[in-house]
Amino acid sequence: MLTFSEKKFSVIYGFIVLAELITESSEDFASFHYGFKPAIVISLLIFFWMHSKTLNKNLRLITVAALLFSLVGDVLLMFVESSATYFLFGLVAFLIAHVMYVIAFLKHRNKTLNPFGFIMLLILYALGLFYLLNKGLHEMFIPVIIYMLVILSMSTSAFLRQGNAPRLSYILVLLGALFFMISDSILALNKFHEPLAYSNISIICTYALAQYLIIIGLLKLAKAGR
């Protein structure tokens, strides 16, 4: 399933994520957190750029843009304790990253596929999440609603690749989009509902896995000449 270079990168990537988990959770190594957190996306960006030369040019650049805005979002969210403004700007950065992914995924949209059932499942999920978040949103009500709609759109656009992208690419990207949704849900619950046990670990792990699956999935298009 994975090429030799992808396996080597996966090991390196795993160590970076592990290092971030350790440094983010330890006061003794807290300063290293500011290096390892952005290193997660930076490593993906470098690996993707090196191995996507045969990918469609527009798709390649859109994916790079998605990773760059994700990186900006990561950096901004590291400073939310200094000012709530960082959270809002971080939210905007990730919203743009999701829009970039939507555009990238729709390039292989299967126009004959009916996503109604999938969308209904996403709406039920979103309604349940909104029920828990509603009372704690306050001035963030509209930004969070917009963000939820965009990330649901990203998952839907990933689903719409079914039958029009290589099967492995489709599965990896769809799983990545769903893990992204889960990661953002945990982050929202932890911030607007109530603090969750080990939320820092679950957020980082699901986020890192989401980005990894999406990028590896898109690189499978390069291997297939798509």
Side-chain angles (χ1 to χ4, degrees):
M1 185 172 79
L2 295 178
T3 64
F4 180 68
S5 60
E6 288 169 349
K7 288 178 181 178
K8 287 197 301 181
F9 171 73
S10 298
V11 173
I12 296 171
Y13 188 73
F15 276 118
I16 293 173
V17 174
L18 180 61
E20 162 57 12
L21 288 170
I22 294 171
T23 56
E24 200 274 338
S25 304
S26 172
E27 292 184 3
D28 295 333
F29 302 103
S31 59
F32 292 100
H33 159 65
Y34 295 96
F36 284 115
K37 180 67 181 293
I40 292 174
V41 171
I42 290 173
S43 64
L44 282 169
L45 183 56
I46 294 172
F47 184 77
F48 178 79
W49 186 256
M50 290 174 60
H51 293 83
S52 61
K53 294 176 182 178
T54 60
L55 200 62
N56 175 276
K57 182 179 179 180
N58 288 336
L59 178 58
R60 189 187 191 204
L61 293 177
I62 291 168
T63 304
V64 167
L67 288 171
L68 286 174
F69 278 107
S70 296
L71 177 59
V72 172
D74 282 338
V75 173
L76 289 170
L77 291 182
M78 287 192 294
F79 299 98
V80 291
E81 293 183 1
S82 301
S83 171
T85 305
Y86 285 111
F87 181 81
L88 180 59
F89 285 135
L91 196 72
V92 172
F94 273 112
L95 185 144
I96 297 173
H98 291 321
V99 171
M100 292 296 104
Y101 276 137
V102 168
I103 296 171
F105 299 162
L106 288 179
K107 286 189 174 294
H108 290 89
R109 176 189 175 188
N110 183 350
K111 296 181 179 180
T112 65
L113 188 64
N114 185 350
F116 180 78
F118 184 79
I119 291 174
M120 287 301 101
L121 288 175
L122 291 183
I123 290 175
L124 288 175
Y125 177 87
L127 288 174
L129 182 63
F130 178 74
Y131 175 79
L132 296 174
L133 298 178
N134 185 31
K135 292 182 180 180
L137 292 177
H138 305 301
E139 71 278 0
M140 291 296 293
F141 181 86
I142 293 178
V144 169
I145 291 299
I146 294 173
Y147 189 89
M148 287 176 66
L149 291 174
V150 171
I151 196 165
L152 292 179
S153 298
M154 187 183 76
S155 295
T156 302
S157 63
F159 173 78
L160 286 171
R161 297 172 76 247
Q162 183 178 4
N164 207 34
R167 179 170 174 77
L168 182 55
S169 173
Y170 165 73
I171 292 173
L172 292 175
V173 168
L174 178 59
L175 287 175
L178 294 176
F179 271 111
F180 223 137
M181 189 169 67
I182 292 170
S183 179
D184 285 343
S185 298
I186 298 170
L187 177 64
L189 287 170
N190 190 63
K191 184 171 182 63
F192 299 114
H193 181 54
E194 63 180 28
L196 303 176
Y198 306 109
S199 60
N200 58 326
I201 296 175
S202 55
I203 291 170
I204 292 170
C205 288
T206 50
Y207 170 69
L209 184 58
Q211 293 278 29
Y212 171 83
L213 290 171
I214 289 173
I215 295 307
I216 297 299
L218 290 177
L219 283 175
K220 294 302 177 185
L221 292 171
K223 299 294 186 297
R226 303 288 292 275

